[in-house]
């Protein structure tokens, strides 16, 4: 990122003018240059699309010149020089610009020079329109589309006026399409779009998002009233061509009153709330809580800073390690790596604050790869004294959805020179959100490279046994919920015995989590449990502390 040198007052004026340009820009990329200091501010989406150094740039004309097709540079450079010398006061041309994907796209660029009272050029600002951007209207429903929804959120953040933002949709819509056909499904979407439009009226804006989802931005909406109307619309919309089908509404929402964030953070929180509604609240509207209590910092601001740090080479992240002990010898077997984020403003932030939201964000695989590589770097040091040490790394289903996931793992193993047989990747039942054939192929490739796989939180979902039938796991980890009262609860004892028997059928080892005292440990030794994990042995601790604690040779 460039160091920008200009007076604070000049920067304030630059930002204020940029904000005015942005509010009216709609789908275009905005740029504004303070010609005295040659400092420019560019739209965040332009920075991302064209891989620019940052929103603020010195000498932006020369930087942008490098992105323009060589055949178009002379005319562009000539126009810019005339603007800065005062020979011309406006800029209107087309050229090809190279994006982040190294491909050229046709752009239209318009700009105007703003002079001071002496007629001297002060600012040069305008818009760049990318011709590859899709139309802003959804052809099926006639509503504005996903791109306009994102732009509206950005405008809200610029204006700093509180609004309610919702993401609503139809549950199990793919099954409706499979059974009744896409034309039938499209009629449902059109009916629901009309009903939403009638309900919202002049109180807000409706957008058609991806698949069966709709976006709503409103300054004046009663969440309970809306939820009732939306569910009624879904039921009504499910009767098409005299055919009634079973359909259910799904919805996530947030009341946006924090503005020092970006639109991607807002979308990540909306997607998270939508997933909570779909999978945990049986379609009931899930409202994202920005402030959990009066003492808490604003969660949106924390998430925004976390996202920025992921983009900044995972700045502030660190791994804590909780040991996994051999149930028979009570010697170190391995450790589970657990992510933490630390900042001067918020201190140490635990993963339950950001991981569930970021899992719905395209940025998460980048953090996942950092965890993988950092764990290997540190794990190699433990291997020097404990050659059989197994490093457990947690995976998100979003990582498994990446086409290059297996290659990312194999590249990390090669680059970090970490023995693959000492790596165990943990997944939860949420991995079933990925197509089973894809999962089976991934698991086969990982096993072919001697990488172990573990099913975490076994027994807490509805399909643990089914997953064991479909996928091969080296280890199942019994969740702490099933052993919390094992000393006095015979049902828990029988459950553990049953889980161990199930694991043996599929040839899997068993690890029990949540071991807090010697009584639990001794009881579990009566079962064919392989490893134990819990606070009895250690809470999760920083790597330096873990390394010091287990620095002695295992022999």
């Amino acid at each position: 990122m460039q160091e920008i040198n200009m007076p604070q007052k000049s920067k304030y004026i630059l930002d204020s003018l940029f904000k005015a340009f942005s509010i009216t820009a709609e789908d275009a990329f905005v740029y504004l240059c303070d010609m005295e200091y040659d400092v420019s501010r560019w739209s965040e989406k332009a920075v991302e699309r064209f891989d620019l150094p940052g929103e603020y740039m010195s000498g932006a004309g020369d930087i942008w010149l490098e992105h323009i097709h060589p055949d178009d540079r002379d005319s562009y450079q000539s126009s810019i020089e005339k603007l800065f010398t005062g020979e011309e006061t406006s800029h209107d041309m087309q050229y090809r610009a190279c994006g982040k994907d190294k491909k050229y796209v046709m752009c239209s660029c318009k700009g105007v020079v703003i002079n001071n009272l002496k007629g001297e050029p002060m600012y040069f600002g305008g818009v760049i329109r990318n011709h590859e951007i899709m139309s802003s209207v959804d052809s099926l429903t006639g509503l504005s589309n996903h791109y306009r929804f994102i732009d509206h959120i950005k405008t809200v953040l610029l204006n700093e006026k509180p609004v309610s933002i919702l993401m609503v949709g139809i549950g199990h819509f793919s099954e409706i399409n499979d059974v009744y056909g896409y034309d039938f499904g499209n009629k449902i979407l059109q009916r629901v779009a009309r009903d939403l439009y009638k309900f919202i009226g002049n109180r807000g804006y409706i957008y058609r998002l991806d698949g069966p989802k709709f976006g709503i931005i409103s300054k004046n909406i009663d969440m309970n009233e809306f939820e009732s109307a939306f569910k009624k619309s879904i039921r009504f919309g499910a009767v098409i061509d005299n055919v009634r089908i079973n359909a259910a509404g799904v919805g996530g929402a947030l009341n946006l009153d924090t503005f020092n964030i970006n639109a991607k953070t807002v979308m990540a929180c909306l997607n998270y709330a939508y997933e909570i509604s779909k999978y945990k609240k049986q379609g009931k509207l899930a409202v994202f809580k920005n402030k959990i209590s009066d003492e808490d910092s604003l969660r949106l601001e924390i998430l925004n800073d976390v996202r920025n740090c992921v983009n900044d080479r995972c700045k502030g992240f660190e791994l804590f390690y909780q040991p996994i002990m051999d149930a028979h010898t009570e010697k170190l077997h391995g450790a589970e790596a657990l992510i933490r984020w630390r900042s001067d403003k918020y201190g140490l932030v635990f993963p339950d604050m950001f991981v569930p939201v970021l899992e719905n964000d395209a940025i998460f695989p980048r953090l996942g790869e950092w965890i993988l590589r950092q764990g290997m770097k540190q794990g190699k040091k433990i291997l020097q004294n404990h050659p059989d040490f197994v490093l457990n790394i947690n995976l998100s289903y979003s990582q498994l959805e990446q086409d290059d996931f297996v290659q990312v793992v194999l590249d990390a193993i090669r680059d970090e020179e970490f023995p693959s047989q000492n790596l165990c990747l943990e997944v939860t039942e949420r991995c079933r959100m990925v197509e089973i054939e894809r999962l089976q192929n991934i698991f086969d490739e990982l096993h072919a490279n001697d990488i172990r796989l573990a099913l975490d939180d076994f027994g807490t979902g509805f399909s643990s046994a089914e997953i064991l039938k479909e996928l091969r796991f080296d280890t199942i980890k019994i969740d702490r919920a099933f052993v919390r009262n094992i000393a006095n609860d015979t049902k828990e004892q029988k459950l553990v015995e049953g889980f161990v028997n199930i694991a043996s059928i599929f040839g899997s080892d068993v690890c029990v989590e949540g071991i807090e005292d010697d009584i639990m440990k001794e009881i579990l030794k009566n079962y064919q449990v392989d490893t134990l994990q819990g606070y009895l042995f250690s809470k999760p601790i920083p790597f330096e502390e873990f390394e010091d604690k287990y620095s002695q040779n295992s022999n």
Side-chain angles (χ1 to χ4, degrees):
M1 185 176 293
Q2 289 184 322
E3 182 178 350
I4 303 302
N5 294 312
M6 66 186 310
Q8 191 64 32
K9 181 179 179 181
S10 298
K11 183 177 182 297
Y12 173 80
I13 296 173
L14 177 70
D15 287 341
S16 299
L17 288 172
F18 180 86
K19 182 176 180 179
F21 271 72
S22 299
I23 289 172
T24 59
E26 295 186 344
D27 295 325
F29 304 138
V30 175
Y31 63 90
L32 182 66
C33 175
D34 183 317
M35 300 175 76
E36 179 181 357
Y37 298 96
D38 196 13
V39 171
S40 301
R41 183 175 175 184
W42 286 54
S43 297
E44 178 187 1
K45 55 186 178 181
V47 173
E48 180 182 354
R49 179 64 183 85
F50 295 101
D51 199 22
L52 299 173
E55 289 185 59
Y56 295 92
M57 292 180 281
S58 294
D62 291 334
I63 294 172
W64 184 238
L65 180 66
E66 294 299 316
H67 289 73
I68 294 177
H69 194 283
D71 294 343
D72 301 334
R73 288 178 183 173
D74 287 344
S75 57
Y76 167 82
Q77 199 166 19
S78 174
S79 177
I80 295 298
E81 288 174 354
K82 290 178 181 178
L83 287 169
F84 272 75
T85 59
E87 187 175 342
E88 290 183 356
T89 59
S90 63
H91 174 78
D92 188 355
M93 63 183 302
Q94 287 188 343
Y95 48 71
R96 291 159 289 179
C98 185
K100 190 175 183 178
D101 56 3
K102 307 304 181 185
K103 296 179 180 179
Y104 285 96
V105 294
M106 182 61 70
C107 295
S108 296
C109 183
K110 293 186 177 183
V112 63
V113 172
I114 302 173
N115 294 326
N116 61 19
L117 293 176
K118 297 178 181 180
E120 299 168 334
M122 293 179 61
Y123 298 95
F124 170 53
V127 296
I128 298 171
R129 297 191 182 276
N130 180 355
H131 291 195
E132 74 172 358
I133 293 179
M134 298 171 60
S135 168
S136 61
V137 177
D138 172 58
S139 59
L140 178 66
T141 63
L143 298 173
S144 294
N145 65 12
H146 179 84
Y147 300 101
R148 294 298 296 273
F149 183 60
I150 299 295
D151 284 341
H152 193 163
I153 292 174
K154 292 179 178 178
T155 301
V156 168
L157 294 172
L158 282 168
N159 289 336
E160 300 185 359
K161 298 291 179 65
V163 297
S164 296
I165 305 180
L166 299 90
M167 178 185 290
V168 299
I170 304 172
H172 308 294
F173 189 72
S174 60
E175 297 174 12
I176 295 173
N177 281 335
D178 291 341
V179 175
Y180 297 98
Y182 287 96
D183 288 342
F184 189 91
N186 286 343
K187 289 180 181 180
I188 293 177
L189 291 174
Q190 290 171 332
R191 176 74 64 81
V192 172
R194 289 196 297 270
D195 290 346
L196 286 173
Y197 189 80
K198 289 178 184 177
F199 177 79
I200 297 298
N202 61 3
R203 292 183 295 173
Y205 300 85
I206 315 293
Y207 300 86
R208 165 78 192 286
L209 308 182
D210 298 330
K213 297 179 182 178
F214 296 86
I216 299 168
I217 299 178
S218 173
K219 296 179 181 178
N220 180 25
I221 185 171
D222 182 289
M223 293 290 190
N224 293 327
E225 181 187 358
F226 169 78
E227 182 175 18
S228 176
F230 177 62
K231 289 186 178 298
K232 181 179 179 180
S233 170
I234 296 295
R235 289 195 297 271
F236 178 64
V239 182
I240 300 291
D241 298 337
N242 296 319
V243 176
R244 175 176 289 278
I245 61 171
N246 292 321
V250 180
L254 66 84
N255 294 308
L256 185 61
D257 53 6
T258 300
F259 307 103
N260 189 28
I261 58 176
N262 60 47
K264 289 184 178 179
T265 300
V266 174
M267 286 301 296
C269 295
L270 278 175
N271 280 317
Y272 169 69
Y274 187 91
E275 293 292 311
I276 291 294
S277 170
K278 185 174 182 179
Y279 294 107
K280 294 187 177 181
K281 301 188 70 173
Q282 292 77 48
K284 182 176 175 60
L285 188 69
V287 180
F288 181 88
K289 293 183 179 179
N290 185 18
K291 202 167 186 180
I292 300 173
S293 71
D294 292 339
E295 290 76 27
D296 286 331
S297 301
L298 292 176
R299 194 176 180 195
L300 279 170
E301 290 185 354
I302 293 175
L303 288 166
N304 194 70
D305 286 355
V306 168
R307 287 191 83 263
N308 290 338
C309 284
V310 174
N311 279 323
D312 190 11
R313 295 178 294 183
C314 294
K315 179 181 177 182
F317 287 95
E318 58 185 280
L319 294 180
F320 278 41
Y321 293 85
Q322 186 173 37
I324 299 172
M325 312 302 289
D326 187 289
H328 308 290
T329 66
E330 295 189 32
K331 291 184 177 180
L332 182 68
H333 170 83
E336 181 178 354
L338 299 162
I339 190 68
R340 302 287 189 268
W341 180 66
R342 194 186 301 273
S343 76
D344 294 338
K345 184 176 181 180
Y346 304 111
L348 187 66
V349 180
F350 288 82
D352 56 353
M353 176 64 76
F354 58 87
V355 168
V357 177
L358 291 191
E359 281 185 319
N360 297 280
D361 193 317
I363 203 173
F364 190 82
R366 188 178 305 175
L367 177 60
E369 183 176 355
W370 182 88
I371 294 171
L372 192 66
R373 288 179 176 269
Q374 183 70 3
M376 291 179 184
K377 285 184 175 74
Q378 295 177 335
K380 279 197 305 183
K381 298 178 181 179
I382 305 300
L383 284 171
Q384 294 174 6
N385 291 319
H386 301 271
D388 296 326
F389 174 82
V390 177
L391 172 68
N392 284 41
I393 300 288
N394 293 288
L395 296 180
S396 165
Y397 73 91
S398 61
Q399 291 172 269
L400 296 168
E401 289 179 327
Q402 300 298 305
D403 291 337
D404 62 346
F405 168 70
V406 173
Q407 194 58 52
V408 166
V409 175
L410 296 180
D411 287 348
I413 287 173
R414 182 199 63 219
D415 295 344
E416 307 302 336
E417 298 180 342
F418 190 87
S420 59
Q421 67 271 19
N422 293 84
L423 176 65
C424 180
L425 302 178
E426 294 190 18
V427 300
T428 66
E429 290 183 29
R430 291 197 76 194
C431 73
R432 283 298 283 111
M433 295 175 67
V434 182
E435 292 181 359
I436 187 61
E437 293 82 5
R438 178 179 182 81
L439 283 175
Q440 288 170 338
N441 290 335
I442 290 173
F443 276 42
D444 287 345
E445 286 189 70
L446 294 172
H447 276 131
N449 286 279
D450 299 322
I451 298 168
R452 307 184 191 194
L453 289 153
L455 178 60
D456 196 13
D457 300 335
F458 181 78
T460 58
F462 298 103
S463 56
S464 295
E466 182 183 353
I467 289 177
L468 290 177
K469 285 178 60 179
E470 295 173 332
L471 301 168
R472 182 165 68 90
F473 289 96
D474 301 276
T475 302
I476 68 167
K477 301 184 73 174
I478 299 176
D479 189 76
R480 69 189 66 234
F482 296 103
V483 298
R484 191 173 291 126
N485 300 308
I486 196 167
N488 304 308
D489 192 336
T490 56
K491 291 180 181 178
E492 286 194 358
Q493 295 171 16
K494 290 178 180 179
L495 275 174
V496 169
E497 183 178 8
F499 290 157
V500 170
N501 289 335
I502 291 173
S504 66
I505 292 173
F506 297 101
S508 303
D509 292 339
V510 175
C511 175
V512 182
E513 299 177 290
I515 310 304
E516 297 182 356
D517 55 50
D518 287 315
I519 296 175
M520 295 173 68
K521 179 189 70 175
E522 293 304 322
I523 290 175
L524 287 165
K525 281 186 176 182
N526 294 325
Y527 303 96
Q528 294 179 1
V529 170
D530 300 281
T531 51
L532 302 171
Q533 181 179 351
Y535 275 37
L536 172 64
F537 308 106
S538 174
K539 65 180 181 180
I541 53 180
F543 175 72
E544 293 76 14
E545 187 177 338
F546 184 90
E547 184 182 26
D548 182 64
K549 185 173 183 177
Y550 296 100
S551 60
Q552 299 299 316
N553 193 288
S554 59
N555 295 323

